Amino acid sequence: ETGVTQSPTHLIKTRGQQVTLRCSSQSGHNTVSWYQQALGQGPQFIFQYYREEENGRGNFPPRFSGLQFPNYSSELNVNALELDDSALYLCASSSDRAPPLHFGNGTRLTVT
Amino acid sequence: QKEVEQDPGPLSVPEGAIVSLNCTYSNSAFQYFMWYRQYSRKGPELLMYTYSSGNKEDGRFTAQVDKSSKYISLFIRDSQPSDSATYLCAMSRNNAGNMLTFGGGTRLMVKP
């Protein structure tokens, strides 16, 4: 059984740029969600994808968007990057939109 | 006030001690309760998952949920230096999918 994998592991971007992060869900899981974890804090829910559609969203602006593909992999896109977007971005997968969630090791994004 | 409160620590204990980690919450609609362990530069790793109230045991770990008090606990018996990590509690409502609300995490250090 393969776990959740994310790429890249680290990324440095400049304010105002755009970034795409990628996630492959755990084998057998059809639901993917994304979380933002600032340093020293717990993860915060960004959104969830199920059957290739956004199926729930946290308190994040529209410049955070995503996609889910037929193989259940997913992308997180962030436009017009701000310094506060610097964080660890975590992808999690589960079955049929229900806990428990299994997380990847994240992408560390630094915005300068 | 945050929906889920967790003492940030650090909590320092000697090897072999029993560790008690706790979270309180304010939303009575929470039904799913999880504990995650997060090592530095890694994603959260699922330790325990419970639905509604009661106890659950898995090896050295015991999770307790007291919904009447809105209080959850994780006990670690015979703690090891390898248990040194940040412990995150997380919870969600019925039909909330992958939208977890996390505590801020408690940093645990187990000294040899």
Side-chain angles (χ1 to χ4, degrees):
Chain A
E1 179 180 274
T2 55
V4 178
T5 58
Q6 293 186 242
S7 63
T9 54
H10 296 85
L11 206 50
I12 299 175
K13 289 286 189 177
T14 303
R15 189 172 50 185
Q17 286 187 318
Q18 178 265 342
V19 68
T20 297
L21 311 180
R22 295 178 174 81
C23 170
S24 293
S25 61
Q26 181 168 313
S27 176
H29 286 179
N30 57 14
T31 307
V32 173
S33 53
W34 287 90
Y35 285 76
Q36 181 194 66
Q37 187 177 24
L39 198 61
Q41 298 183 23
Q44 284 198 300
F45 175 75
I46 302 175
F47 45 55
Q48 165 183 296
Y49 277 82
Y50 175 69
R51 293 186 175 178
E52 302 177 51
E53 291 191 358
E54 187 179 298
N55 189 245
R57 189 176 187 96
N59 189 26
F60 280 83
R63 59 188 186 85
F64 286 79
S65 64
L67 286 172
Q68 187 181 30
F69 300 100
N71 66 354
Y72 306 130
S73 65
S74 177
E75 288 182 353
L76 166 66
N77 299 291
V78 186
N79 293 322
L81 284 166
E82 302 177 358
L83 296 179
D84 285 349
D85 295 333
S86 295
L88 181 67
Y89 287 86
L90 296 162
C91 173
S93 70
S94 72
S95 294
D96 298 327
R97 295 174 292 175
L101 279 65
H102 297 266
F103 284 84
N105 282 326
T107 295
R108 173 74 61 187
L109 173 64
T110 302
V111 182
T112 62
Chain B
Q1 185 184 4
K2 295 181 180 179
E3 271 192 295
V4 180
E5 297 278 0
Q6 193 174 2
D7 188 328
L11 176 63
S12 182
V13 301
E15 182 176 354
I18 296 175
V19 176
S20 173
L21 303 165
N22 310 294
C23 288
T24 59
Y25 63 94
S26 57
N27 189 342
S28 58
F30 287 140
Q31 293 281 0
Y32 296 93
F33 302 92
M34 283 144 276
W35 285 95
Y36 287 87
R37 177 174 64 194
Q38 187 173 27
Y39 292 113
S40 180
R41 303 181 185 280
K42 297 289 187 182
E45 173 193 6
L46 180 67
L47 288 176
M48 300 289 284
Y49 162 61
T50 56
Y51 176 74
S52 196
S53 286
N55 296 355
K56 186 174 183 179
E57 186 173 325
D58 184 1
R60 296 186 296 114
F61 299 94
T62 299
Q64 289 185 351
V65 175
D66 181 351
K67 292 188 67 180
S68 63
S69 302
K70 297 191 181 69
Y71 189 86
I72 70 171
S73 300
L74 178 71
F75 298 95
I76 307 174
R77 290 183 297 281
D78 187 25
S79 56
Q80 302 295 310
S82 59
D83 294 327
S84 298
T86 296
Y87 289 79
L88 296 157
C89 64
M91 47 200 80
S92 70
R93 298 173 281 108
N94 274 338
N95 302 317
N98 286 6
M99 191 173 84
L100 301 184
T101 302
F102 279 85
T106 298
R107 186 175 161 215
L108 171 66
M109 296 186 295
V110 181
K111 297 185 175 180

